[in-house]
Amino acid sequence: MPIAPLYPPDVPAIEGLVAELLNRIGCGAALLRADGAVLLTNAHLNAMLGDGLLLREDRLVAAAPRSQGALDSMLAMPDVHAGTAWETNFLALPQPSGLRPLLLRACRLPPGTVLPGQRGEQERVATLLLVFMPEQDLPSPELPLRMMGLTAAEARLAAQVGRGVTPEEASRQLGITVGTARYVLKVVFGKLGVSRQSRLALLTARLAAMSGGE
């Protein structure tokens, strides 16, 4: 009895579906093998290439040569174990044009994440790379805070409180109640793994420096 193939014969259609899902992420995205080879990129990332980040053959290359080591180190993360949360690394990649740095987030995927290859074999997908182009008018460090899993509203509050603004004053500035501000701040602390405002201030200062903010 013939054995049915693991994937349908129309592999390009499957890759097209995965690419469409990547395009819906809303930022630059790429799927990489464990050796760093690029398997797929989305349209957002393709539009960003050429300044801070380049794609040569199947490899991502930093436009500024001095940043290549940092990029390689970020992508060379250890494997995560099945059943554990995704491991993530962050990097601010300078753009030679003088624009604010690209913000990269590398997410190490669990073992067993595969994509069908052109000849029917399975390609192990090791890393999901997300690339953000900071908007010139976005108050830093809101974008890197959002990269860390905060919603837009949570990032705005975290940025305010991280600068030393009290929850009461932040609630007035953001047009929310003090109770809402305290509740959202508790959620923010949980997501970021901090327990005090001083720790949040330290984190936001580091993120602001990373993203090129003042």
Side-chain angles (χ1 to χ4, degrees), residues 159-185:
Q160 292 279 4
V161 174
R163 295 187 186 106
V165 176
T166 66
E168 292 77 13
E169 179 60 27
S171 68
R172 287 192 290 271
Q173 293 181 11
L174 299 175
I176 59 178
T177 68
V178 176
T180 297
R182 292 188 180 282
Y183 172 77
V184 173
L185 194 57

Side-chain angles (χ1 to χ4, degrees), residues 34-140:
D35 63 359
V38 176
L39 295 173
L40 279 178
T41 60
N42 69 357
H44 300 292
L45 180 57
N46 293 337
M48 295 179 187
L49 295 175
D51 193 355
L53 192 64
L54 309 173
L55 182 60
R56 292 178 179 165
E57 297 181 352
D58 62 349
R59 302 286 169 169
L60 289 171
V61 179
R66 66 182 183 277
S67 300
Q68 187 62 45
L71 177 61
D72 291 339
S73 296
M74 182 191 68
L75 297 178
M77 293 187 295
D79 284 339
V80 297
H81 300 293
T84 61
W86 292 5
E87 295 290 337
T88 60
N89 270 347
F90 298 89
L91 175 67
L93 199 61
Q95 299 195 80
S97 65
L99 294 176
R100 292 173 63 182
L102 296 175
L103 300 182
L104 279 62
R105 178 181 184 182
C107 307
R108 199 63 154 175
L109 304 181
T113 306
V114 298
L115 186 70
Q118 290 293 337
R119 293 183 297 276
E121 75 282 8
Q122 297 183 36
E123 291 275 19
R124 160 90 193 283
V125 183
T127 304
L128 169 63
L129 180 68
L130 303 177
V131 184
F132 298 79
M133 177 82 76
E135 299 173 0
Q136 294 298 322
D137 59 350
L138 183 64
S140 180

